[in-house]
Structures are given as structure tokens and as C-alpha cells.
Amino acid sequence: MNLEENLKSVKDRIEEVCRSSSRKPSDVDLMLVTKTITSERIIEAKRLGHRLFGENKVQEVVQKWSIPELREIRPDFIGHLQTNKLKACLDGCGRIHSVDRMSLVEALDRELQKRGEQREVFIQVNTSGEASKYGIAPVEAVEFATQIARYQTLKVTGLMTLAIFSTDKDRVRECFRKLKALHLKIRESGVFTKDFTHLSMGMSSDFDVAIEEGSTMIRVGQAVFGTRSLPDSYYWPGASS
Ligand SMILES: *Cc1c(COP(=O)(O)O)cnc(C)c1O
């Protein structure tokens, strides 16, 4: 498994999909998802010039990202955030993609106020309706956005979703369309500034569809680092396999 080659082929694919859907490749950020990947391999990706990374578990952030070679990079946090891990998450990560409930908003606000900081976050939406997925329900998203906008410590710049796990591309596409439509609706409601621009959607199996539907940030692990040994159910309770 050659990291450089894999990275190149993912980037080529991004360009290809952008070209066929009249989008600019520079408008789609490639996040490398490094869950289960060792610090050594992350450093290898860094040497290839890559800077945008994502982690799913706070424990892995603490274990892997505190070494000197990686200290200057703060990975985005993309997993379910428990409030008891919130401080370590704020210490070790940059943006948080998984803000999905008011109790988390309040806990983040309390801690950020204490630190005198503002943090960039995304709202996670459960576009597939699957019970195994986190995120707020699409029908509640606008109201949630209105509430979160009152917190000065949180700068909301986008929405995030995980599409349904399905080989049926139409059902996957439906999830991305839902997120895009919600993004528009929230933009039009005027609760956020013009910096509310991101759609964090698409992973190894579906990033081409996500780009066609307007993704501005794809989160790719396996297509670059190879198949993970741990099943998805370890990361998403209730997921199959
Ligand atoms: C693991 C993960 C990804 C990437 O999945 P791959 O199949 O490795 O591309 C994307 N988003 C989230 C939230 C993840 O946990």
C-alpha cells in the first residue's frame, strides 16, 4: 500500500469529478481521516505536504498527535464528542465537525468562555435517519442553527453528514442533497455570517457523489491508507459489519 500513489489517485479522481460537474478542485478540501493510522504514517502524509487531517476518537488524538513532529498540526474532530472528553478534544483538535446537541453546545461554550477562546465548528445532521448515526434531525436543523448562533464562542462555518451506507447511489445522493438544501435554507435565514460556507460530506466510498452534490470538504481514510482492520461498528455503534 503506497501512500503517495493512493493520495495521487484520490486527488486525480477529485479533479475528474470536479471537471465533469463544473466545479473547481480548489473548492474541495481533502481531509485525510487517520483513525487507527499510526503517527509514523501520519508523518509520512505530512512529508508529502498534507496538512488537513481528521480524527474520530479523542483518545487517539491524545495518543498520536502529541509527539513533536505532529504538534504543529491540529486535526479536525469528526467523531461523536462526549462532554467528559471535551477539554482534551479542545486541547488536541482544531475544528469540531460533530456538534449535534444543545447540551454539547452549552458545555463547549462554558469551557471556551473560561479559555477566552472562539472555536470553529460544524453542525452534524443525520440525513439518513438511521438510528445508528449521530446528528440532529433535518427538521430540527434550522431551529438548532438559530439557537447555536447566540453563542459567541462558537463560530459555525458549515454542516457535516455521513450518508447512508448503501450500494444504492441514489439513496446516498439523497443524503447529500438534503444537507445541501439545509445549508441553503440556513444561509437564507441569515443566522450565520458569510463564513457559513462548508459542506463536510463524502468519504472513501461516496466522495465522488458528494462532490457532484456540492461538498466542500471530503473526509477520506481507507482510499488513502488502506482498509481498516477495525469494523465500522467500533466507530458508529449500530453500524453493520
Ligand atoms: C472514518 C470516517 C470517515 C472516513 O471513512 P473512510 O471509509 O475511511 O474513507 C469519514 N467521516 C467520519 C466521521 C469517519 O469516522
Side-chain angles (χ1 to χ4, degrees), residues 31 33-35 55-56 78-79 124 160-162 165 202-205 218-224 226 228 232 235-236:
M31 173 198 291
V33 177
T34 49
K35 61 192 190 207
E55 285 283 357
N56 180 299
I78 60 173
Q124 182 173 357
M160 183 272 244
T161 202
L162 284 151
F165 291 124
M203 37 205 269
S204 293
S205 57
I218 60 174
R219 310 179 307 266
V220 176
Q222 298 181 90
V224 169
R228 271 186 301 278
D232 280 339
Y235 291 95
W236 302 293

